[in-house]
Amino acid sequence: MKTMHAPAAAPAAPALEHACTIVAEVAPGLPVERRGADMLEIIPITGGTVTGRISGRVEPGGADWCRERADGAYEVEARYWFRTDSGSVVDVVNVGRIAPGAPGERHGLFMSTPQFRTLDPELQWLTQRVFVGRAEAFGTHTTIDVFEVVS
């Protein structure tokens, strides 16, 4: 005889706490590769701001590698850095995907998973925790609201 178990209740979802907002100023994209209907371009990051629990300036020199896929989705991988108001350097790697637009969906809105590195002892929490980003791309900049995932 088979024993029937009641379905387990779904676990509680983690909460999100706003950590910072990054506004990365960008230059026009530079197409670098086409494979079939896929197109890869590099979007230079030229500066910007960081506000919230951390504040500072995005430094020029980073970039976002953006691949437009044949199915209408995008894959983005940005690598850049910022200097906090106190002078600390924070390295950022931010990977995301943009699904093809659904009816009523805002174009350019996407989710990402930013990761941080820094030597600053006061900012080690950035290197020890998980973050998600809600980003929106505009012509001259991308705004990323970064949230810490908390249990």
Side-chain angles (χ1 to χ4, degrees), residues 3-4 14-15 18 26 28 36 39 41 44-45 49 51-53 58 60-61 63 70 74 93 108-109 116-117 139 145:
T3 306
M4 299 292 285
H18 183 255
V26 297
M39 170 66 92
E41 70 177 357
I45 296 173
T49 58
T51 56
R53 287 168 38 196
V58 175
Y74 290 82
V93 176
L109 187 65
F116 303 95
R117 293 187 293 192
D145 293 313

Side-chain angles (χ1 to χ4, degrees), residues 18-71:
H18 183 255
C20 64
T21 296
I22 301 169
V23 178
E25 299 164 355
V26 297
L30 308 167
V32 294
E33 181 180 59
R34 179 175 289 284
R35 288 192 181 175
D38 287 7
M39 170 66 92
L40 175 67
E41 70 177 357
I42 297 172
I43 302 167
I45 296 173
T46 59
T49 58
V50 181
T51 56
R53 287 168 38 196
I54 314 154
S55 59
R57 286 272 323 143
V58 175
E59 297 292 342
D64 183 356
W65 283 257
C66 181
R67 182 169 75 103
E68 181 180 4
R69 299 181 348 188
D71 64 2

Side-chain angles (χ1 to χ4, degrees), residues 18-141:
H18 183 255
C20 64
T21 296
I22 301 169
V23 178
E25 299 164 355
V26 297
L30 308 167
V32 294
E33 181 180 59
R34 179 175 289 284
R35 288 192 181 175
D38 287 7
M39 170 66 92
L40 175 67
E41 70 177 357
I42 297 172
I43 302 167
I45 296 173
T46 59
T49 58
V50 181
T51 56
R53 287 168 38 196
I54 314 154
S55 59
R57 286 272 323 143
V58 175
E59 297 292 342
D64 183 356
W65 283 257
C66 181
R67 182 169 75 103
E68 181 180 4
R69 299 181 348 188
D71 64 2
Y74 290 82
E75 295 175 352
V76 295
E77 182 174 338
R79 182 71 184 258
Y80 54 98
W81 63 286
F82 64 85
R83 188 178 301 275
T84 66
D85 289 343
S86 63
S88 297
V89 172
V90 179
D91 175 55
V92 184
V93 176
N94 198 1
V95 177
R97 292 183 190 242
I98 304 170
E105 193 174 80
R106 290 194 339 228
H107 179 69
L109 187 65
F110 62 100
M111 303 302 289
S112 65
T113 54
Q115 295 186 8
F116 303 95
R117 293 187 293 192
T118 183
L119 291 174
D120 186 331
E122 297 295 315
L123 296 177
Q124 286 306 298
W125 62 275
L126 288 170
T127 70
Q128 299 164 345
R129 300 183 185 161
V130 173
F131 298 89
V132 294
R134 181 182 58 209
E136 189 161 9
F138 301 93
T140 59
H141 65 282

